Structures are given as C-alpha cells and as structure tokens.
Amino acid sequence: MSHKLTLQELDEFSQEFNNNPENQVIARAAQRSGVLEASYNDRVQGELTRVFSTELDTDNVTNQKHSGRCWLFSTLNIARHFFGKKYKAKNFTFSQAYNFFWDKIERANIFYDNILKTADKPLDSREVKADLDFAGADGGQFHMGAALVEKYGLVPSYAMPETFNTNDTTGFATALGDKLKKDALVLRKLKQDGKDDEIEKMRKKFLSEVYRMTAIAVGEPPKTFDLEYRDDDKKYHLEKNLTPLEFVHKYLADLDWNDYVVLTNAPDHEYDKLYGLPGEDNIEGSYRIKLLNVPMEYLTQAASAQLKDGEAVWFGNDVLRQMDRKTGYLDTNLYKLNDLFGVDLNMSKADRLRTGVGEVSHAMTLVGVDEDNGEVRQWKVENSWGDKSGEKGYYVMNNDWFNEYVYEVVVHKKYLTAEQKKLAEGEITDLPLWDSLA
C-alpha cells in the first residue's frame, strides 16, 4: 500500500519536534560537532583498560594505508608473529606487496573462469553482475592469503617494499577492473559463438596484459632474496639466496595452513553447517574459502584458547561500528545514538546481516584477552592502520562488541569439538557472491 505525504502531516511532524525544547539543544550539538561526537559516551574510557590477563609479545604494527588489503595484512601478521616467536624477532615483517602482486594475477585468472562459466547467462543476471562488481577489488578472506603463501611463499618487507599503488590502490584497482570487464565481453562472445579454440589464446593474452599492468603498478616480485635480520637479543642472522618458497619451507614448516578453520557466527544462516564462497576463491586448485557456522560462544572459547597458547588470531569484523580511531576503542556503548535521536536503532545480529546493515568489512588480529573469573571482559587488537590510530596501532575491544560485530575467527582445528572437526572436513554448501557472508 502506497502513501503520499501531505503538507498537514509534515506540519504535524514539525510541531511535534519543536514542542520538545530538548530537541533544539541536541540539534545544535549534533550539527556543530557531528552525530558521533555529540553522542560519544565518555564513561567507556573508564571501563576499558590496556591491561590483559593474556597478552602476546608484540611491538610494531603494519599499515595498509589506503587499500583494502586488511585480510592479507592479518594473514601475514599470523605468519610474522609465528616467525617472531620462534626466532625471537617480533618486529620482523613480511612484504604484503609481494603477495598482493600474485593475488592480482591469480584473481584475474579465476575471474576469467567464472565469466566463461556464466557465458550462457544474461549480462544483467545477478551472477554475472556480481562477478563483474568483484573485478579488480582488493577485499578478501583468510584462505585467500593462505593460498598465496602456500603457492608463492613469503619475502621480507625489505625485499619487495610498498609502492604508491599498494599504499593507495584506487587508481590501479579502477584500471584493472575496467580491463577485466572489457575482457569479459570478449570471452563471453567467444564462448557463446562456440569458439573454444580461441578462448585459451585470448585468455593467455589477457593474463599477460594483467601481468604487465601489475608489474608496472607494483613492481615484479623477487625470485630470490637474502634473509637478514637482527633478533630481539641483537644477534645478527644472514642466509643468502633463498627463494620465497624455500624460506617458507625452511623457517615456517610447522605453520600448516591446512590446520586452520574459519569459525563464523552468522545467525541468519543455519548453525553447524559448512559454507563456501566459490566466487571469492582466488587460486584455482588451492584452498577454498570455507566458513563453519557455529554459535558465538565457540568463537570466544577457541580464540581465547589459541591466545593462551601463545598464538595470534585472525578475525573478521564490522570495524566501522561503534569504533573510535583516535582512542582505539571498540565498545557497543561508545556512541549513544539512541539517546541522541530518541529512537531505537538496535537490531539483532541476524537482522543486521539480513538487511545488509551488518557485514564483514575488515580483518584484524587478536593478540590479547582479559578474563575475570573465567569470563572474557575485553580483547587486545592489532590493527593494520599504522601507529597513529589507537594506542600505537593497538585497539581494545570489549566482549559485547566481540559478540555483536565479530563474524569470523581463524583458529587451529585442535580447538574445535569432535563434531566441528567432522563438519569442517565435510560437505560444503556454496553461497553466492551476494550472500551476507560474502
């Protein structure tokens, strides 16, 4: 049933607003300083502390700058903390630019695959549009980073430094996205015309062009490097002429990405079920993106247990909700928007996902947890926004925020129940690119 607004109704709304003198006071504050500042809850700073009952030995943070590579930064944070603990080198960092380069090539290849698979569908179909919208994008998932490390290895940050186009991916992402979409039209036409013999020739040409574009924007990856660092005890280490894969196999051999499972909490989906996101897989024949959907308490238990065993935790979240960059506070009570506007803005986690209000918008790393008599109170978070946000790049998150806005944690399978281990290796229910978990 449609409704046409009348001038009488609008006048009634205005009278109702102006009949309450408090509305004018609130409006002046909100219009002068913004709704977030006007609704800021100062009491939060007395409730969140920087002390944690379990805390990993970490120091400097990384900075993804103006890029959507948080998933890759968080994955490499897991690797660097693993390396740092084993070799007493907590500030040793890996090159995100190196794995970013290979992600662009691999993702172009799998994009062409998906475009060919849907060549019989209309260009404006939901499936094709979703693939086109994803073309050239930076965003990703844990298993995408794991797949890149397994196939291409790792290099230290000094072996392939950041460039302008990795620190700010906007221009390159636009150019690459435009190219992939143009290529998609050519490949679709060849497939529709039954010219399968020409498809592979054109794909190879297109991939070579993608390689050239990426090499120009990012630089070509090194084939070998010299591993050189000074550990926390100031002891000097040098090993020459390592390949990226040799380095991983020698120095990180006991970090097996196959041992890790993504636990997700998506109450708009059926629990105790393994979901896949084939539209976001980035390397053909490598790790699939898999999410085991379970109640929130299992994410809490597993993440806490892994931290107590001295290992960091990758986690996906909706960071722009109830977050303050300056202080690094993540608290569900940080902004009192309900009080400011005099309306109820609360939604359940399931409803936020169902309506698109909630999403996995960012990935960070858990490096500490604070418990009181067995109850989790708050978490220490390592972000990838440099050391000028939060406290030297670290955030503090209360457990209510964890419950409401965290959707994924990556944990070793040993922290799962026996039934969850079976589910994690079992049948996958694939989800489309437009699903709330994508």
Side-chain angles (χ1 to χ4, degrees):
M1 180 182 295
S2 60
H3 175 75
K4 183 179 180 180
L5 276 171
T6 66
L7 295 178
Q8 181 180 348
E9 281 180 306
L10 296 173
D11 187 55
E12 289 173 1
F13 299 157
S14 177
Q15 290 182 38
E16 184 178 349
F17 175 77
N18 287 288
N19 282 342
N20 185 349
E22 289 184 0
N23 284 338
Q24 294 298 334
V25 177
I26 296 170
R28 285 194 294 271
Q31 291 163 23
R32 184 174 178 82
S33 59
V35 297
L36 294 182
E37 187 64 28
S39 65
Y40 189 84
N41 180 14
D42 287 311
R43 293 186 178 182
V44 164
Q45 63 190 15
E47 297 169 356
L48 295 175
T49 70
R50 303 286 179 176
V51 180
F52 304 88
S53 56
T54 298
E55 190 172 0
L56 305 188
D57 185 17
T58 60
D59 193 1
N60 294 342
V61 298
T62 53
N63 193 346
Q64 70 185 79
K65 296 191 177 178
H66 194 67
S67 71
R69 298 174 295 157
C70 58
W71 57 278
L72 181 56
F73 273 69
S74 296
T75 303
L76 297 194
N77 276 343
I78 300 301
R80 79 183 184 96
H81 290 321
F82 195 94
F83 180 91
K85 179 182 178 182
K86 185 173 182 179
Y87 300 101
K88 295 198 297 184
K90 61 177 174 285
N91 282 325
F92 188 90
T93 55
F94 294 114
S95 169
Q96 288 85 13
Y98 173 79
N99 298 95
F100 176 77
F101 178 97
W102 294 118
D103 181 59
K104 294 294 106 178
I105 313 303
E106 290 284 359
R107 225 191 278 205
N109 181 58
I110 213 163
F111 169 78
Y112 296 144
D113 278 348
N114 292 336
I115 285 298
L116 289 166
K117 289 174 186 175
T118 57
D120 60 333
K121 297 182 182 295
L123 197 60
D124 61 355
S125 68
R126 202 171 190 183
E127 293 89 341
V128 178
K129 281 185 62 64
D131 285 328
L132 293 173
D133 288 344
F134 203 51
D138 286 351
Q141 302 270 358
F142 166 78
H143 280 109
M144 295 168 65
L148 290 164
V149 173
E150 183 172 83
K151 183 169 182 177
Y152 295 103
L154 293 165
V155 304
S157 54
Y158 59 78
M160 187 170 177
E162 295 287 292
T163 69
F164 181 94
N165 296 302
T166 58
N167 285 330
D168 185 347
T169 57
T170 308
F172 178 49
T174 299
L176 182 59
D178 288 352
K179 185 211 168 9
L180 293 174
K181 291 168 188 174
K182 181 180 179 181
D183 294 347
L185 296 177
V186 175
L187 292 175
R188 281 172 55 85
K189 184 71 165 56
L190 289 173
K191 186 67 175 176
Q192 290 163 358
D193 291 347
K195 297 180 179 179
D196 292 348
D197 53 331
E198 294 185 34
I199 287 175
E200 287 311 310
K201 184 172 77 171
M202 290 305 299
R203 183 211 291 266
K204 188 173 182 179
K205 175 180 180 293
F206 292 156
L207 285 171
S208 177
E209 291 169 347
V210 170
Y211 187 99
R212 181 169 70 247
M213 292 176 68
T214 310
I216 288 170
V218 179
E220 275 199 290
K223 292 181 172 60
T224 62
F225 65 92
D226 294 341
L227 176 64
E228 187 175 22
Y229 68 98
R230 197 174 292 277
D231 66 26
D232 298 337
D233 295 329
K234 308 303 180 185
K235 183 179 178 182
Y236 178 73
H237 300 265
L238 173 65
E239 182 170 357
K240 293 185 175 182
N241 203 34
L242 282 169
T243 71
L245 278 173
E246 284 173 347
F247 169 77
V248 168
H249 295 157
K250 181 172 182 178
Y251 286 88
L252 296 172
D254 43 355
L255 177 56
D256 188 348
W257 302 103
N258 276 302
D259 288 336
Y260 291 84
V261 176
V262 182
L263 294 183
T264 191
N265 177 248
D268 63 327
H269 291 66
E270 184 181 343
Y271 282 146
D272 297 321
K273 197 166 183 178
L274 187 66
Y275 294 100
L277 291 171
E280 293 189 16
D281 291 338
N282 63 334
I283 297 182
E284 181 64 35
S286 186
Y287 292 117
R288 288 210 51 198
I289 296 172
K290 297 186 290 185
L291 312 168
L292 180 56
N293 194 29
V294 295
M296 197 65 201
E297 60 262 29
Y298 292 104
L299 278 70
T300 305
Q301 293 166 10
S304 178
Q306 186 157 303
L307 287 168
K308 289 175 183 177
D309 284 342
E311 187 175 345
V313 178
W314 189 108
F315 76 107
N317 58 88
D318 200 354
V319 73
L320 298 180
R321 297 283 171 178
Q322 296 288 335
M323 176 273 292
D324 179 34
R325 283 176 180 261
K326 183 178 180 181
T327 61
Y329 291 153
L330 297 162
D331 191 303
T332 54
N333 217 23
L334 187 59
Y335 300 108
K336 309 283 279 185
L337 290 168
N338 288 358
D339 295 346
L340 180 75
F341 290 117
V343 296
D344 184 1
L345 299 173
N346 295 329
M347 297 175 71
S348 69
K349 196 172 189 178
D351 284 346
R352 289 200 305 272
L353 285 169
R354 274 193 280 261
T355 57
V357 171
E359 61 175 344
V360 183
S361 60
H362 192 47
M364 297 187 286
T365 313
L366 293 173
V367 292
V369 63
D370 189 39
E371 292 183 327
D372 182 12
N373 292 320
E375 293 294 323
V376 174
R377 196 175 74 84
Q378 60 182 16
W379 305 80
K380 183 177 181 181
V381 175
E382 179 182 358
N383 205 349
S384 54
W385 290 348
D387 59 8
K388 298 298 188 291
S389 67
E391 186 178 77
K392 297 182 179 179
Y394 289 91
Y395 283 46
V396 56
M397 167 179 64
N398 78 345
N399 198 51
D400 287 340
W401 199 97
F402 182 90
N403 287 330
E404 288 297 319
Y405 298 116
V406 169
Y407 296 98
E408 300 171 5
V409 298
V410 177
V411 295
H412 195 284
K413 60 187 178 184
K414 67 184 177 183
Y415 302 111
L416 275 57
T417 67
E419 180 59 28
Q420 288 168 354
K421 290 176 184 176
K422 291 180 183 177
L423 290 171
E425 298 298 327
E427 183 181 353
I428 303 173
T429 298
D430 285 331
L431 301 173
L433 262 175
W434 55 87
D435 189 84
S436 64
L437 280 175

